[in-house]
Amino acid sequence: MLDADREEEKENQGEAVTLITIHSCKGLEFPHVYIVGLEDGLLPHSRSKVEGTLDEERRLFYVAITRAMQTLTLSHCGGRKKYGQLMPCHPSPFLKELPPELVELADEKAKQPVTVDSGKDFFAAMRLAAS
């Protein structure tokens, strides 16, 4: 019965956001994939270094990034609150293993000026959405 309900949901979904863990995404594909929390200690998990399972963590990362059909966005933060104190975070070492020609840093993209046409299109879309 639950499977029938899920099939009906899939048919009526249209555009939707799906939140899943890296462990459960094997075999699935999505047009746009966002992977957040790519910090050392989260991916790879801090225990993986002690337990010697770094290769398994790397495999999970590979599975996650290959779920993207059109775009892949990876993010990490500079700090997280832990027990009420802001603790610095460092990017996952796996990010350094990505081919540099495939990486576009958000800081660099933000420094590029917006073209007049793209600005007009953006505000036209906003006006249309508001009406």
Side-chain angles (χ1 to χ4, degrees):
M1 185 63 178
L2 291 176
D3 286 339
D5 290 343
R6 293 196 66 176
E7 287 301 318
E8 187 177 320
E9 284 177 19
K10 286 180 186 177
E11 292 173 9
N12 297 329
Q13 263 183 345
E15 292 188 24
V17 173
T18 303
L19 297 176
I20 58 174
T21 65
I22 291 175
H23 292 86
S24 65
C25 72
K26 188 175 180 181
L28 303 174
E29 287 186 323
F30 301 94
H32 309 284
V33 172
Y34 298 84
I35 305 173
V36 299
L38 288 172
E39 291 116 39
D40 196 13
L42 293 179
L43 191 71
H45 193 274
S46 54
R47 285 190 313 234
S48 67
K49 295 175 184 179
V50 175
E51 296 172 355
T53 57
L54 205 56
D55 286 340
E56 177 64 16
E57 295 279 297
R58 184 177 284 108
R59 186 191 69 77
L60 284 170
F61 179 61
Y62 175 80
V63 167
I65 64 176
T66 57
R67 303 305 90 201
M69 295 170 16
Q70 296 170 16
T71 64
L72 172 65
T73 303
L74 307 173
S75 70
H76 60 85
C77 66
R80 290 184 182 272
K81 278 199 172 184
K82 191 173 185 178
Y83 306 114
Q85 290 193 339
L86 187 62
M87 304 298 289
C89 292
H90 303 284
S92 170
F94 295 159
L95 294 173
K96 293 177 183 164
E97 297 173 7
L98 296 172
E101 65 273 13
L102 299 179
V103 176
E104 180 182 283
L105 300 176
D107 290 347
E108 292 172 10
K109 189 174 181 180
K111 292 177 186 175
Q112 297 174 1
V114 176
T115 66
V116 172
D117 288 338
S118 66
K120 286 180 181 178
D121 292 344
F122 175 77
F123 286 110
M126 286 183 68
R127 282 195 279 299
L128 184 63
S131 59

